[in-house]
Amino acid sequence: MILVLDPGLTEEQQQQFCLDLQRKGFFTRLVNQYGQLLLSIDGPDEEHFARSAHKISCVREIIGGRHPYFLASRRFQKTNTIINVGQVDGKTISFGGNNTLIIAGPCAIESEETAVELALRVRKLGCNVFRGMVFKPRSSPYSFQGLGKAGLAILKTVKETTGMLILTEVRDLMEAEMALEFADILQIGTRNMSNYQLLKHLGRLRRPVLLKRGMGSSLEELLCASEYILSHGNPDVILCERGIRTFEQFTRFSLDIGAIPAIKELSHLPVIIDPSHASGKSRLVESLAMAGIAAGADGLMIEVHQNPQNAFSDGTQSIDPDALAQLLGKGQKVAQAIGRQLV
Ligand code: PEP
Ligand code: MN
């Protein structure tokens, strides 16, 4: 159950109210955000308490029922959240409006020369956000693990040279703090979606977060993970459907296209898709991307490499800049058919 409290309560009064409820056996969590003071309470006696809670003077509203996530829900906010991630050429780039944004770049940063060259090429095609990972959570400890700190310096050069916005993955607080210097969006990968301590830290950092769905997670689990970030002070969460594990072996994962309209019904947060990690095969990327655009995704994240056969990681699912150009041309038509714009 959620209690909407009088926002004029002093800190001391808030603490005292929580303490009283804890003494009654409730677990309490106070969220003071978006100009609202919300108190989530959880305990066996909730329903009994709810019947008399309206008599407590500081309680403005009682939102009954089960709320594993609330700030992320449409119940909390009806209108779509629009997340401004930065400016490119004086234009504000935002997720959640009427544009479908492209995030393009290599799976991993390999060298300054290749990163800058690729960034200039995708920038020329109209992409504003560059992805490039330097901290790679690989399934095998023997696979390329990313360039680490040296890779961050390369991303900084990419940003300075091209003016593009930068997205990169972080796996712990230390990496997040290092990347904060210039990364415009911090990614939480599929393997860390349930790393709740990390999510809480990112809640405190106030930098837009791209939160990827755990490969074995339900939409409710994804939205609960986003709630950890939101309820710790960061309202800027972009969700990403990147394929889930099913019995199908032909594709690397199964892209859950239904997740896009489902999330849009359940939540006000923007949602994008990653057709590269879902398909695992470069020749399938375009079709999945079209499906994502048609389903109303707020963006696409695509792995691009000048020379996919020689990529240090995920070459089989990376497309080259020419294939990206073709994808963008087709994608623009699909986007326009549903009243959106690919940018
Ligand atoms: C990535 O985007 O580079 C990545 C590793 O994705 P995921 O966490 O979805 O596997
Ligand atoms: Mn990859």
Side-chain angles (χ1 to χ4, degrees):
M1 175 185 7
I2 307 247
L3 304 179
V4 182
L5 301 183
D6 173 359
L9 285 185
T10 64
E11 287 240 342
E12 216 179 357
Q13 289 168 324
Q14 294 171 22
Q15 293 314 323
Q16 190 54 51
F17 188 51
C18 288
L19 212 62
D20 290 346
L21 289 170
Q22 286 160 15
R23 285 205 190 101
K24 290 190 169 95
F26 292 112
F27 170 77
T28 62
R29 168 130 181 81
L30 199 60
V31 179
N32 190 354
Q33 213 176 331
Y34 313 108
Q36 291 207 57
L37 188 58
L38 303 171
L39 181 68
S40 143
I41 70 169
D42 192 13
D45 242 1
E46 233 177 272
E47 281 188 20
H48 177 250
F49 175 75
R51 282 196 281 277
S52 57
H54 63 277
K55 291 188 198 138
I56 305 170
S57 63
C58 66
V59 174
R60 290 280 155 88
E61 196 186 335
I62 302 161
I63 302 170
R66 184 179 156 267
H67 293 285
Y69 60 91
F70 183 66
L71 299 175
S73 73
R74 282 277 179 206
R75 180 139 192 211
F76 175 69
Q77 185 182 305
K78 303 267 177 292
T79 56
N80 291 341
T81 283
I82 300 201
I83 299 178
N84 297 333
V85 289
Q87 296 223 325
V88 177
D89 287 343
K91 266 194 303 195
T92 301
I93 306 299
S94 24
F95 287 84
N98 220 27
N99 291 335
T100 306
L101 264 74
I102 305 294
I103 303 169
C107 179
I109 295 294
E110 299 175 2
S111 72
E112 181 172 308
E113 194 191 341
T114 54
V116 171
E117 198 235 1
L118 183 67
L120 288 170
R121 286 179 74 177
V122 300
R123 173 89 192 90
K124 240 182 170 170
L125 296 174
C127 303
N128 295 310
V129 188
F130 185 77
R131 61 154 284 151
M133 306 309 167
V134 300
F135 304 116
K136 294 292 306 166
R138 304 302 300 280
S139 299
S140 166
Y142 306 119
S143 304
F144 175 59
Q145 304 284 308
L147 295 182
K149 228 174 154 179
L152 284 182
I154 296 175
L155 285 175
K156 194 169 175 200
T157 308
V158 168
K159 186 174 174 130
E160 286 163 2
T161 316
T162 65
M164 291 179 82
L165 301 173
I166 302 291
L167 174 144
T168 198
E169 175 160 358
V170 295
R171 299 165 301 185
D172 59 35
L173 180 61
M174 214 166 70
E175 291 176 358
E177 283 184 343
M178 282 194 282
L180 212 53
E181 195 195 329
F182 57 85
D184 301 284
I185 307 172
L186 300 175
Q187 172 168 309
I188 296 294
T190 191
R191 293 161 184 83
N192 265 321
M193 188 209 83
S194 310
N195 184 341
Y196 301 122
Q197 284 307 103
L198 178 58
L199 300 178
K200 287 186 207 170
H201 285 310
L202 288 185
R204 295 185 194 107
L205 290 184
R206 297 297 306 260
R207 184 66 45 94
V209 175
L210 179 73
L211 177 64
K212 297 187 92 170
R213 180 180 184 179
M215 59 182 85
S217 301
S218 66
L219 293 182
E220 180 169 307
E221 286 162 340
L222 172 64
L223 290 165
C224 282
S226 78
E227 190 83 3
Y228 270 95
I229 304 172
L230 301 174
S231 66
H232 284 80
N234 186 349
D236 296 332
V237 180
I238 303 157
L239 304 170
C240 179
E241 161 58 36
R242 47 79 68 207
I244 48 176
R245 189 144 269 168
T246 66
F247 51 81
E248 184 50 60
Q249 305 274 301
F250 184 73
T251 46
R252 189 176 179 190
F253 296 96
S254 296
L255 184 68
D256 181 7
I257 284 288
I260 299 164
I263 288 173
K264 290 207 168 282
E265 184 177 309
L266 296 168
S267 176
H268 51 86
L269 297 174
V271 54
I272 73 164
I273 68 151
D274 172 350
S276 306
H277 288 88
S279 68
K281 290 181 164 69
S282 54
R283 63 184 185 278
L284 303 185
V285 168
E286 185 181 289
S287 299
L288 297 192
M290 295 309 118
I293 299 169
D298 293 297
L300 303 178
M301 182 155 76
I302 304 192
E303 283 187 339
V304 186
H305 196 281
Q306 294 97 320
N307 198 352
Q309 319 71 290
N310 294 332
F312 287 11
S313 65
D314 285 349
T316 54
Q317 67 196 33
S318 300
I319 61 173
D320 64 25
D322 290 339
L324 178 66
Q326 183 187 302
L327 182 155
L328 296 177
K330 278 194 192 173
Q332 187 63 273
K333 291 185 196 146
V334 177
Q336 284 169 357
I338 60 158
R340 297 177 68 92
Q341 200 64 27
L342 201 67
V343 291

